[in-house]
Amino acid sequence: MYVDTTRFVIDLVGNDGVRPGSVVSVRRDKIAIVHPITGELLGELDEEVATGKVTEVRDKFSVVEIENLPSERRSR
């Protein structure tokens, strides 16, 4: 929804159980891991993009301050 260098916005609110101080993990969608020869689905993999703490809960969205980025993300 919105991302800058220190915060992002999520579409979760108080009715979803989000409160100021709640810690959230932002993850990429799962990708299928498929065997290259047999075509068998071996499983799914997702990736944590960032973690943060909710600083503000509004009627339709919440603001999260970024606390942690995986180290390989910081260098990109």
Side-chain angles (χ1 to χ4, degrees), residues 28-76:
R28 285 195 196 285
D29 289 339
K30 292 180 182 179
I31 58 170
I33 305 300
V34 178
H35 191 282
I37 296 172
T38 66
E40 177 187 0
L41 176 62
L42 301 175
E44 294 179 325
L45 181 68
D46 67 351
E47 176 184 11
E48 185 174 76
V49 176
T51 59
K53 189 174 286 187
V54 175
T55 58
E56 190 176 339
V57 178
R58 297 198 181 180
D59 289 339
K60 295 187 178 186
F61 66 89
S62 295
V63 178
V64 179
E65 291 290 327
I66 297 170
E67 290 191 330
N68 188 20
L69 294 171
S71 58
E72 66 272 4
R73 294 249 167 258
R74 290 184 196 142
S75 62
R76 289 186 185 170

